Amino acid sequence: MPQVSFTDADGGVRVIEATPGDSVMETAVRNGVPGIVAECGGSLSCATCHVFVAADDLPDLPEMDEMEDEMLYGTAVDREENSRLSCQLPVTEHTDLHVTTPATQV
């Protein structure tokens, strides 16, 4: 079963079984993961689902498009090389993803 491991800014880890076809953001919201606000509900217009993806997992993700890249410049915590918006990360049958949420989203 696909899973996403969410590490919060304080180091706490929560592993969630995910549903293929959902996004990482939808998985977080559905399971009450702290640190994912998702104000826009996944419409790529708020950047409040910012996560830092584990370096080993980055090659397995789809390429970042121009709109996501632009939105990452508006995050509450500065973006890093491994920053992504979790609404743009699809869950597949083979997902085993590790992300860290920033200290704040707003």
Side-chain angles (χ1 to χ4, degrees):
M1 174 137 237
Q3 67 179 21
V4 181
S5 299
F6 294 90
T7 302
D8 64 31
D10 296 325
V13 178
R14 187 167 174 195
V15 179
I16 306 289
E17 288 187 5
T19 303
D22 284 353
S23 68
V24 171
M25 180 274 300
E26 290 168 322
T27 301
V29 169
R30 186 173 295 114
N31 290 281
V33 173
I36 301 290
V37 177
E39 285 180 351
C40 73
S43 64
L44 193 56
S45 63
C46 73
T48 60
C49 65
H50 177 209
V51 294
F52 303 107
V53 177
D56 291 347
D57 294 340
L58 283 170
D60 298 330
L61 299 176
E63 294 277 328
M64 182 186 311
D65 68 19
E66 186 177 329
M67 181 62 96
E68 180 182 3
D69 188 39
E70 290 290 323
M71 292 301 301
L72 282 166
Y73 285 108
T75 58
V77 172
D78 289 342
R79 76 181 285 173
E80 297 179 9
E81 287 185 27
N82 62 335
S83 288
R84 293 295 302 264
L85 295 180
S86 60
C87 67
Q88 299 301 296
L89 304 178
V91 173
T92 68
E93 287 291 335
H94 306 289
T95 296
D96 183 11
L97 185 63
H98 302 81
V99 301
T100 301
T101 56
T104 187
Q105 294 281 8
V106 291

